[in-house]
Amino acid sequence: MVIPQLNKVKALIFSLPNRVLILLFLLSVGQASYAASVTASLDKTTSVENEVVQLTLRADFTNTGNGPELDALKENFEILGKSQNSQFSFNLGTNTALSYWIVSLMPKSVGVIDIPAIKIGDHQSNPLKLTVKNSPQLLDSHGNPPAMIKTQVSEVEPYLQQQVILSVKLYTSVALQNANLSVPSHPDLIIEQLVDDQMSYETINGTDYQVLTREYLAFPQRSGLLTIPVQTIQAMINTNTGRRMIKVQSEPLALQVLPIPASYPSDNWLPSEAVTVTTKLTSTVEQPRVGDTLIWDIKIQAKGALPEQIPTMAFNSTRAYKLYPKPAEFNTRKTAQGITGQLNMSIEVVPTEEGQISLPKITVPYWDTEQRVMQSAQASTKTLHINPLPDSSQKAPSPEATANTTPLPPQSRSVAPISLNKPNPVTGQPPVTETVTDTSSVVAATGSTSNIKRYLIIALIASSLAMVALWFYLKRKSPSSPSEPNVPTLQDFAPLNTPDEKSAYANLIACCRDNQLTELRAHLLEWARHRWGDEEITSVDDIKRLSASVSLTQLLMEAELMMYSQNTHHQWLGNPLAEALQEFTSGEAKPSQASQLKTLYPNF
């Protein structure tokens, strides 16, 4: 009779009201098992120095806000990266959201490090502990490290501003990830990379290394002891125990910079391995004459020096020629052996005398950094023959040429010069007597002259009477009250096109920068009339007088010479004139390109 009683129990349990109660109980159990929480775990509890540790955070709810707050970890760890993953699951009519964060950490020190509770949304994780031990040096089977840095310099005792080649070599036997190689720097060194990186391979103590070579140019700007800081690299590598960060550094380098030798006589300090000078004088025409334009090209190359270190030279004009220099050009050529600076100068030469034109010898003193002695590079310019102008080449004809040429027709006595001093008769010859015909011609000429004088006097009297009559007429027609005479001014004849001096000056500078020689005179007068007034300015010569600037006057004269010259085969360059105008208006001289580089004469 037990079986009927069991059937009654099952019927009671699985009746409809009881089914509802069972379902509610299961739901409550399911919700309790999936209560919202944050769980933290480490991939390892014991690590070594410079080894990466991964912290995993799991959130069992959907409202995670901005994710985990990791600021509490920055005190003891470097946060290298963070990734996120989300999962959703459905079971017995319920849904579950799981969010994961994997944070890569680098311990900053050794010992037992506490990982505090990490907050996500309204919940936080459980705290953890990590033990970090000192790591042994990473060495391969041959006892070699996975990475090395070696540095060297081309000269340990350079002179001030001498070129020094700094070579940095990185040796690696494993693949580097996220490598960060430092760049050499020093406040008393001008440093720039020489050429592109070079790659090579080398075997050291049985280990094959890939060698990355990076070379720099360094120019010391102060004499004395200079220490180049150590070069470092930081990267990630894969080891048997996981990813690990390595930090490698080189040995420091010391430079003993020598001062400028006392025996160096020139103010232009130029340390170089070798200096060469080439010069050439060329003509724009086949047979140059006085007034034609010649081109004088000068090229100076200094091995182991920047182009700004090469001194620019100035030459003066002479009675035999006029010089008009163009702005100098600076060029640089870099090779694995170092840098070579080049200065190009182009000067227009206008001969003013015929004959052989001889230009001065070019001499560039420098300090030979290899021989450590004073040297000088010299070059002479080949002479050219200058032909005279066509008018000045006409000389008095020789007797043979006079005998072969046709004589001029006889001139009348009325146009011959008259002298009141009679020549003395030659001894032995009878005096020459004047005939009646000669006397009549002289009388006729005298009568003609007196008639002309009479007519001129009558014309002068008539014009004077006419001017007096016109003055009385204008005086009677004018009002009785005194008033200003309506005299036309310069503004009436040539009104100004700009409102003020600033606008006229801007147009003038733009004209010079654009090399507009034909419009230069108009812009000059426009600016000068604004600056000094119409009463002072009538021509470009007034600008020369009022400016009292030697350089501005010379450039204006050169522009006028090219403006009215018949040789139109070369172009006028207005940049020097624009700079001279800027110096005149500002009152401050612009520094040269050489002075911008040099910090010479330091403490030495």
Side-chain angles (χ1 to χ4, degrees), residues 527-540:
W527 165 71
R529 288 170 62 188
H530 276 295
R531 186 175 184 88
W532 290 289
D534 291 341
E535 297 79 6
E536 296 287 344
I537 300 300
T538 58
S539 65
V540 179

PDB file of all heavy atoms in Angstrom, residues 527-540:
ATOM      1  N   TRP A 527      56.982 106.554 -52.142  1.00  0.00           N
ATOM      2  CA  TRP A 527      57.319 106.403 -50.724  1.00  0.00           C
ATOM      3  C   TRP A 527      58.053 107.621 -50.191  1.00  0.00           C
ATOM      4  O   TRP A 527      57.781 108.088 -49.080  1.00  0.00           O
ATOM      5  CB  TRP A 527      58.175 105.137 -50.554  1.00  0.00           C
ATOM      6  CG  TRP A 527      58.865 105.064 -49.242  1.00  0.00           C
ATOM      7  CD1 TRP A 527      58.308 104.841 -48.021  1.00  0.00           C
ATOM      8  CD2 TRP A 527      60.274 105.241 -49.005  1.00  0.00           C
ATOM      9  NE1 TRP A 527      59.270 104.868 -47.034  1.00  0.00           N
ATOM     10  CE2 TRP A 527      60.481 105.111 -47.607  1.00  0.00           C
ATOM     11  CE3 TRP A 527      61.365 105.499 -49.821  1.00  0.00           C
ATOM     12  CZ2 TRP A 527      61.734 105.224 -47.036  1.00  0.00           C
ATOM     13  CZ3 TRP A 527      62.625 105.603 -49.253  1.00  0.00           C
ATOM     14  CH2 TRP A 527      62.791 105.468 -47.881  1.00  0.00           C
ATOM     15  N   ALA A 528      58.998 108.174 -50.972  1.00  0.00           N
ATOM     16  CA  ALA A 528      59.790 109.315 -50.512  1.00  0.00           C
ATOM     17  C   ALA A 528      58.928 110.562 -50.327  1.00  0.00           C
ATOM     18  O   ALA A 528      59.148 111.354 -49.403  1.00  0.00           O
ATOM     19  CB  ALA A 528      60.921 109.589 -51.502  1.00  0.00           C
ATOM     20  N   ARG A 529      57.923 110.777 -51.193  1.00  0.00           N
ATOM     21  CA  ARG A 529      57.046 111.945 -51.046  1.00  0.00           C
ATOM     22  C   ARG A 529      56.214 111.853 -49.768  1.00  0.00           C
ATOM     23  O   ARG A 529      55.939 112.860 -49.109  1.00  0.00           O
ATOM     24  CB  ARG A 529      56.159 112.070 -52.273  1.00  0.00           C
ATOM     25  CG  ARG A 529      56.924 112.525 -53.535  1.00  0.00           C
ATOM     26  CD  ARG A 529      56.066 112.411 -54.774  1.00  0.00           C
ATOM     27  NE  ARG A 529      54.886 113.261 -54.689  1.00  0.00           N
ATOM     28  CZ  ARG A 529      53.879 113.223 -55.584  1.00  0.00           C
ATOM     29  NH1 ARG A 529      53.935 112.367 -56.589  1.00  0.00           N
ATOM     30  NH2 ARG A 529      52.858 114.026 -55.428  1.00  0.00           N
ATOM     31  N   HIS A 530      55.805 110.630 -49.414  1.00  0.00           N
ATOM     32  CA  HIS A 530      55.106 110.465 -48.142  1.00  0.00           C
ATOM     33  C   HIS A 530      56.040 110.748 -46.960  1.00  0.00           C
ATOM     34  O   HIS A 530      55.622 111.321 -45.955  1.00  0.00           O
ATOM     35  CB  HIS A 530      54.554 109.043 -48.022  1.00  0.00           C
ATOM     36  CG  HIS A 530      53.217 108.836 -48.686  1.00  0.00           C
ATOM     37  ND1 HIS A 530      52.078 109.469 -48.262  1.00  0.00           N
ATOM     38  CD2 HIS A 530      52.863 108.075 -49.752  1.00  0.00           C
ATOM     39  CE1 HIS A 530      51.055 109.107 -49.021  1.00  0.00           C
ATOM     40  NE2 HIS A 530      51.512 108.257 -49.941  1.00  0.00           N
ATOM     41  N   ARG A 531      57.308 110.326 -47.080  1.00  0.00           N
ATOM     42  CA  ARG A 531      58.225 110.416 -45.939  1.00  0.00           C
ATOM     43  C   ARG A 531      58.763 111.827 -45.746  1.00  0.00           C
ATOM     44  O   ARG A 531      58.819 112.333 -44.623  1.00  0.00           O
ATOM     45  CB  ARG A 531      59.375 109.418 -46.142  1.00  0.00           C
ATOM     46  CG  ARG A 531      60.311 109.319 -44.939  1.00  0.00           C
ATOM     47  CD  ARG A 531      61.356 108.244 -45.143  1.00  0.00           C
ATOM     48  NE  ARG A 531      62.193 108.078 -43.959  1.00  0.00           N
ATOM     49  CZ  ARG A 531      61.904 107.264 -42.955  1.00  0.00           C
ATOM     50  NH1 ARG A 531      60.790 106.553 -42.980  1.00  0.00           N
ATOM     51  NH2 ARG A 531      62.711 107.167 -41.908  1.00  0.00           N
ATOM     52  N   TRP A 532      59.194 112.470 -46.838  1.00  0.00           N
ATOM     53  CA  TRP A 532      59.831 113.779 -46.705  1.00  0.00           C
ATOM     54  C   TRP A 532      58.996 114.943 -47.237  1.00  0.00           C
ATOM     55  O   TRP A 532      59.370 116.092 -47.028  1.00  0.00           O
ATOM     56  CB  TRP A 532      61.188 113.764 -47.414  1.00  0.00           C
ATOM     57  CG  TRP A 532      62.203 112.933 -46.706  1.00  0.00           C
ATOM     58  CD1 TRP A 532      62.806 113.209 -45.534  1.00  0.00           C
ATOM     59  CD2 TRP A 532      62.754 111.682 -47.143  1.00  0.00           C
ATOM     60  NE1 TRP A 532      63.688 112.222 -45.191  1.00  0.00           N
ATOM     61  CE2 TRP A 532      63.699 111.266 -46.163  1.00  0.00           C
ATOM     62  CE3 TRP A 532      62.570 110.875 -48.245  1.00  0.00           C
ATOM     63  CZ2 TRP A 532      64.420 110.096 -46.259  1.00  0.00           C
ATOM     64  CZ3 TRP A 532      63.288 109.710 -48.350  1.00  0.00           C
ATOM     65  CH2 TRP A 532      64.204 109.315 -47.369  1.00  0.00           C
ATOM     66  N   GLY A 533      57.917 114.666 -47.976  1.00  0.00           N
ATOM     67  CA  GLY A 533      57.083 115.741 -48.500  1.00  0.00           C
ATOM     68  C   GLY A 533      57.422 116.089 -49.938  1.00  0.00           C
ATOM     69  O   GLY A 533      58.534 115.845 -50.434  1.00  0.00           O
ATOM     70  N   ASP A 534      56.437 116.692 -50.621  1.00  0.00           N
ATOM     71  CA  ASP A 534      56.629 117.061 -52.033  1.00  0.00           C
ATOM     72  C   ASP A 534      57.661 118.165 -52.205  1.00  0.00           C
ATOM     73  O   ASP A 534      58.269 118.305 -53.273  1.00  0.00           O
ATOM     74  CB  ASP A 534      55.295 117.498 -52.642  1.00  0.00           C
ATOM     75  CG  ASP A 534      54.334 116.323 -52.778  1.00  0.00           C
ATOM     76  OD1 ASP A 534      54.806 115.174 -52.744  1.00  0.00           O
ATOM     77  OD2 ASP A 534      53.111 116.558 -52.890  1.00  0.00           O
ATOM     78  N   GLU A 535      57.880 118.970 -51.142  1.00  0.00           N
ATOM     79  CA  GLU A 535      58.830 120.082 -51.288  1.00  0.00           C
ATOM     80  C   GLU A 535      60.266 119.589 -51.373  1.00  0.00           C
ATOM     81  O   GLU A 535      61.121 120.270 -51.945  1.00  0.00           O
ATOM     82  CB  GLU A 535      58.699 121.046 -50.090  1.00  0.00           C
ATOM     83  CG  GLU A 535      57.351 121.731 -49.963  1.00  0.00           C
ATOM     84  CD  GLU A 535      56.308 120.826 -49.337  1.00  0.00           C
ATOM     85  OE1 GLU A 535      56.698 119.709 -48.905  1.00  0.00           O
ATOM     86  OE2 GLU A 535      55.121 121.201 -49.303  1.00  0.00           O
ATOM     87  N   GLU A 536      60.555 118.414 -50.810  1.00  0.00           N
ATOM     88  CA  GLU A 536      61.920 117.901 -50.772  1.00  0.00           C
ATOM     89  C   GLU A 536      62.232 116.911 -51.884  1.00  0.00           C
ATOM     90  O   GLU A 536      63.389 116.712 -52.237  1.00  0.00           O
ATOM     91  CB  GLU A 536      62.187 117.213 -49.422  1.00  0.00           C
ATOM     92  CG  GLU A 536      62.131 118.141 -48.216  1.00  0.00           C
ATOM     93  CD  GLU A 536      63.333 119.061 -48.152  1.00  0.00           C
ATOM     94  OE1 GLU A 536      64.325 118.773 -48.848  1.00  0.00           O
ATOM     95  OE2 GLU A 536      63.281 120.061 -47.420  1.00  0.00           O
ATOM     96  N   ILE A 537      61.211 116.256 -52.433  1.00  0.00           N
ATOM     97  CA  ILE A 537      61.432 115.150 -53.366  1.00  0.00           C
ATOM     98  C   ILE A 537      61.041 115.582 -54.764  1.00  0.00           C
ATOM     99  O   ILE A 537      59.878 115.939 -55.037  1.00  0.00           O
ATOM    100  CB  ILE A 537      60.628 113.903 -52.951  1.00  0.00           C
ATOM    101  CG1 ILE A 537      61.043 113.436 -51.556  1.00  0.00           C
ATOM    102  CG2 ILE A 537      60.820 112.785 -53.961  1.00  0.00           C
ATOM    103  CD1 ILE A 537      62.501 113.062 -51.446  1.00  0.00           C
ATOM    104  N   THR A 538      62.022 115.570 -55.653  1.00  0.00           N
ATOM    105  CA  THR A 538      61.766 115.787 -57.085  1.00  0.00           C
ATOM    106  C   THR A 538      62.375 114.689 -57.950  1.00  0.00           C
ATOM    107  O   THR A 538      61.987 114.528 -59.096  1.00  0.00           O
ATOM    108  CB  THR A 538      62.332 117.155 -57.526  1.00  0.00           C
ATOM    109  OG1 THR A 538      63.745 117.181 -57.231  1.00  0.00           O
ATOM    110  CG2 THR A 538      61.621 118.292 -56.796  1.00  0.00           C
ATOM    111  N   SER A 539      63.328 113.940 -57.406  1.00  0.00           N
ATOM    112  CA  SER A 539      63.983 112.882 -58.177  1.00  0.00           C
ATOM    113  C   SER A 539      64.571 111.869 -57.205  1.00  0.00           C
ATOM    114  O   SER A 539      64.524 112.053 -55.980  1.00  0.00           O
ATOM    115  CB  SER A 539      65.085 113.458 -59.076  1.00  0.00           C
ATOM    116  OG  SER A 539      66.117 114.014 -58.284  1.00  0.00           O
ATOM    117  N   VAL A 540      65.147 110.792 -57.761  1.00  0.00           N
ATOM    118  CA  VAL A 540      65.774 109.758 -56.939  1.00  0.00           C
ATOM    119  C   VAL A 540      67.020 110.294 -56.242  1.00  0.00           C
ATOM    120  O   VAL A 540      67.391 109.841 -55.154  1.00  0.00           O
ATOM    121  CB  VAL A 540      66.108 108.525 -57.801  1.00  0.00           C
ATOM    122  CG1 VAL A 540      66.790 107.436 -56.979  1.00  0.00           C
ATOM    123  CG2 VAL A 540      64.842 107.970 -58.440  1.00  0.00           C
TER     124      VAL A 540
END
